[in-house]
Amino acid sequence: MHVLSIDRSIIDAIVAHARRDHPDEACGVVAGPVGSDTPTRHIPMDNAARSMTFYEFDSMEHLRVWREMDDRDEEPVVIYHSHTATEAYPSRTDVAFAGEPGAHYLLVSTREPDSEEIRSFRIVDGVVTEEPVRVVEAGVDPHAVQSYMFGQSPATVDYECSGR
Amino acid sequence: MAIEVRIPTILRSYTGGAKVVDGTGDTLADLLTDLDSRHGGLRGRLITDAGTLHRFVNVYVNDEDVRFLGALDAKLSDGDSVTILPAVAGGAFGFAAAAAISSHGAAVAAR
């Protein structure tokens, strides 16, 4: 089973981006070394659609960022966007457009003002598979890992998604 | 001399896994026809039933988006580099264009 392991600092930066652009959808990438499955470099992207219900990378920024990843032997480990009025689950539109079969599709819902729902999915050939998100806390024991569903109380541990 | 074409991950099943392939052609349309002769099916993932470049596939000649170079009529020269990237797009609600491309099955992203 796939798991998305991601640093707390990157999750925080993604949430801040989503909050900043709310009520428009925010989108971006977290790059990581090819084959590592480890997201290390957060790249917030412009939403060229500037819409509350749609996002699209700007085509020139897309080319620049993808070239830069190529030059650095990186790949898009995470592709994220926000839903600003609905749950963090891929819409039919998201599934139709999902063009990076190797990526973790991370969705953030900002519909609640005080809490975020963050969920991750694989989308391959139109099939959506949810996977747990494992947030790695930096600055403490690097092996100390907490898995949980965002938007729930911290007492909730070991969030495991259904549909494996 | 030839034109270098960079193939995105999702289309490498048509190129035997190759990330970069070579092709020839005076225009983008000619190049895609040439590529399709060796990588059958590739062209059909980029062009709609109506014969136009798919809205949600980005194609670049060197550093330019071909939408600003005449799309399929974009002129090519030996030594040019063509990059294909499926648009990264989506969103919360059913979107007419997404539904349309899904039903046609023509989009790179829809497969």
Side-chain angles (χ1 to χ4, degrees), chain A residues 54-55 59 67 91 93-94 96, chain B residues 6 60 62-63 65 90-91 93 109:
Chain A
F54 192 67
Y55 80 95
S59 75
R67 278 210 180 136
S91 66
T93 311
D94 293 332
Chain B
R6 304 184 77 82
Y60 309 86
N62 303 321
D63 294 326
D65 187 327
F93 292 119

Side-chain angles (χ1 to χ4, degrees), chain B:
Chain B
M1 285 283 278
I3 295 155
E4 171 196 89
V5 184
R6 304 184 77 82
I7 305 292
T9 311
I10 199 168
L11 294 180
R12 288 179 199 159
S13 55
Y14 295 94
T15 60
K19 191 173 171 177
V20 179
V21 297
D22 282 342
T24 56
D26 292 335
T27 64
L28 179 59
D30 292 346
L31 173 70
L32 294 182
T33 299
D34 174 61
L35 290 178
D36 206 63
S37 67
R38 287 182 307 287
H39 310 291
L42 183 61
R43 182 177 180 278
R45 298 294 295 277
L46 307 174
I47 307 245
T48 65
D49 293 345
T52 58
L53 197 60
H54 202 282
R55 157 77 177 84
F56 289 104
V57 176
N58 297 325
V59 181
Y60 309 86
V61 176
N62 303 321
D63 294 326
E64 298 264 12
D65 187 327
V66 296
R67 289 187 192 97
F68 304 113
L69 300 173
L72 287 171
D73 297 328
K75 294 275 183 282
L76 300 176
S77 307
D78 277 353
D80 279 346
S81 173
V82 169
T83 303
I84 302 169
L85 290 177
V88 178
F93 292 119
F95 187 71
I101 61 169
S102 295
S103 60
H104 285 110
V108 163
R111 298 262 177 111

Side-chain angles (χ1 to χ4, degrees), chain A residues 45 60 116:
Chain A
M45 303 284 285
M60 295 315 296
E116 294 82 28

Side-chain angles (χ1 to χ4, degrees), chain A residues 56-119:
Chain A
E56 182 178 8
F57 286 4
D58 172 80
S59 75
M60 295 315 296
E61 186 179 32
H62 187 177
L63 177 67
R64 182 174 58 72
V65 168
W66 255 242
R67 278 210 180 136
E68 192 176 81
M69 283 192 284
D70 243 15
D71 291 345
R72 298 167 61 120
D73 291 320
E74 291 174 334
E75 60 190 356
V77 178
V78 172
I79 294 175
Y80 71 89
H81 75 283
S82 61
H83 286 175
T84 58
T86 55
E87 66 174 334
Y89 190 87
S91 66
R92 275 167 45 185
T93 311
D94 293 332
V95 176
F97 283 113
E100 293 285 351
H104 301 266
Y105 282 88
L106 188 78
L107 277 85
V108 180
S109 173
T110 54
R111 65 178 164 179
E112 301 293 339
D114 302 323
S115 65
E116 294 82 28
E117 184 191 18
I118 299 184
R119 297 166 72 180

